[in-house]
Amino acid sequence: MPFPPTVRRVAGSAPGRLARYARLRLSRRRAGLVLVYHKLGEPPGDPKRELVPALSPRLFEAQLRHLARLYRVVPSRELRAAAAARRRGQRFPVAITFDDDLASHVRHALPALRGMGLPATFFLSGASLEGPYRFWWERLQAAFDASRDLGVLAAAGVPAGAAGITGWGEALEAATPQERGLAAEALAELVGPDPDDAGMRAADVAALAAAGLEIGFHTLGHDPLPALDDAALEAALRDGREALERLAGGKITTISYPHGKADARVAAAARVAGYESGFTGVPVAVTPASDPVLLPRIDVLNTTVDDFARQLIGALQRS
Ligand SMILES: [Zn+2]
């Protein structure tokens, strides 16, 4: 999940945008884009009051059609090489990825991707393989939506953040894993048991893999990795990976870092742990100079397909 939500309007008209993309295609620019999605669903979410606003499945499908028409959609593990191999005039490569164990991956993303025959990678924690589970920010959202008194978070040791749900989200993200665990339990008390359909069961993961979609790792505990000591970092990169590998039917060698956060130490540890590619939340294009275990990703706008189109062009132009 990302903090804070990155939503902004991007300037430019549709014909101007197509001309800009055509000019970019004629350049020798060696670049590609990795996109990250989270929740899909109706009604679409409100970024002003939701930490992870849902993207309408209809808008998602329109974005996929845009990508299929103007870009070359490749598996995320091939993106960097595809960017390096790009020649003048060719389409820019794009990879589609999803973070977090969300029921909407199977309900909405799977049929849309399968319908268009597009590859994608799903970065999962495996926290809900055996039963319903909501991440702390989902419980926080539920508490916020129900106007519950968040005083319990202070009792769990979490210092109050800035006003609003984003402030609380940032405060919890900055807390220690122990404080966050206590806060997650306190939030569960506040909002009741996680709904039956929360998260992804083992069969859901197997269904994605059976459809030829790639399973990556997102760590079981979803702690920001740069804040962990060496032993906890090693454990985070390992614990829960095997259970997902059994469902994926093979080794998992790709990871997306929780909250998109990684540094040189995290990247080195990921390499030692056998990951060949790692994805952050830095919203820029991938180039041949990008470190394979620190590949940037763009958090997709959930406004209009036109904004999406401009967002991609802007990232390529800045590459
Ligand atoms: Zn996440």
Side-chain angles (χ1 to χ4, degrees):
M1 65 156 325
F3 283 132
T6 49
V7 174
R8 62 194 167 91
R9 302 291 296 185
V10 197
S13 65
R17 155 166 65 74
L18 279 172
R20 271 163 74 204
Y21 185 65
R23 276 198 300 279
L24 271 174
R25 284 258 309 254
L26 289 173
S27 73
R28 292 181 202 286
R29 212 174 281 258
R30 295 195 296 159
L33 302 173
V34 185
L35 310 181
V36 55
Y37 289 93
H38 292 84
K39 185 162 69 179
L40 304 181
E42 298 286 3
D46 176 1
K48 285 191 211 71
R49 46 166 301 279
E50 288 180 62
L51 289 173
V52 185
L55 180 99
S56 145
R58 251 195 259 175
L59 178 57
F60 175 64
E61 285 167 31
Q63 292 182 345
L64 292 186
R65 285 193 294 276
H66 178 80
L67 293 176
R69 196 159 56 88
L70 293 171
Y71 291 83
R72 187 178 150 226
V73 183
V74 302
S76 63
R77 65 178 173 280
E78 294 172 19
L79 192 275
R80 188 169 163 277
R86 184 186 169 270
R87 299 285 173 266
R88 190 171 187 270
Q90 290 179 343
R91 295 169 178 223
F92 286 93
V94 168
I96 299 165
T97 72
F98 288 80
D99 274 7
D100 303 335
D101 314 48
L102 297 167
S104 68
H105 291 349
V106 172
R107 195 176 305 146
H108 297 299
L110 171 61
L113 291 163
R114 198 161 40 190
M116 295 188 64
L118 295 174
T121 304
F122 290 80
F123 292 102
L124 308 178
S125 76
S128 48
L129 296 179
E130 307 300 332
Y133 176 78
R134 281 192 289 195
F135 292 104
W136 62 258
W137 60 87
E138 297 175 284
R139 292 177 185 170
L140 176 65
Q141 184 72 56
F144 207 82
D145 292 346
S147 306
R148 293 282 197 270
D149 178 4
L150 295 177
V152 293
L153 296 180
V158 179
I165 191 162
T166 306
W168 277 110
E170 284 167 354
L172 268 160
E173 189 185 325
T176 66
Q178 290 72 23
E179 288 166 346
R180 225 176 359 259
L182 285 173
E185 284 172 24
L187 285 167
E189 296 267 313
L190 212 54
V191 296
D194 297 332
D196 286 349
D197 64 348
M200 291 176 71
R201 295 311 156 265
D204 295 325
V205 181
L208 292 180
L213 297 162
E214 186 180 28
I215 305 300
F217 195 41
H218 195 43
T219 80
L220 185 55
H222 206 283
D223 293 311
L225 301 182
L228 302 181
D229 65 31
D230 288 350
L233 173 58
E234 199 188 317
L237 294 168
R238 178 194 61 227
D239 295 347
R241 184 180 180 184
E242 264 181 36
L244 284 168
E245 285 177 335
R246 279 194 291 277
L247 295 166
K251 279 253 162 240
I252 291 179
T253 57
T254 183
I255 184 167
S256 83
Y257 306 107
H259 304 280
K261 287 185 173 162
D263 55 18
R265 184 181 66 104
V266 168
R271 213 175 252 117
V272 168
Y275 293 98
E276 289 162 10
S277 45
F279 294 87
T280 70
V282 180
V284 298
V286 171
T287 71
S290 304
D291 184 334
V293 288
L294 285 173
L295 295 173
R297 286 190 303 174
I298 290 165
D299 197 359
V300 174
L301 288 175
N302 75 341
T303 48
T304 65
V305 87
D306 236 33
D307 283 348
F308 173 71
R310 295 189 200 108
Q311 185 185 24
L312 305 191
I313 292 172
L316 287 170
Q317 278 183 323
R318 289 189 295 273
S319 65

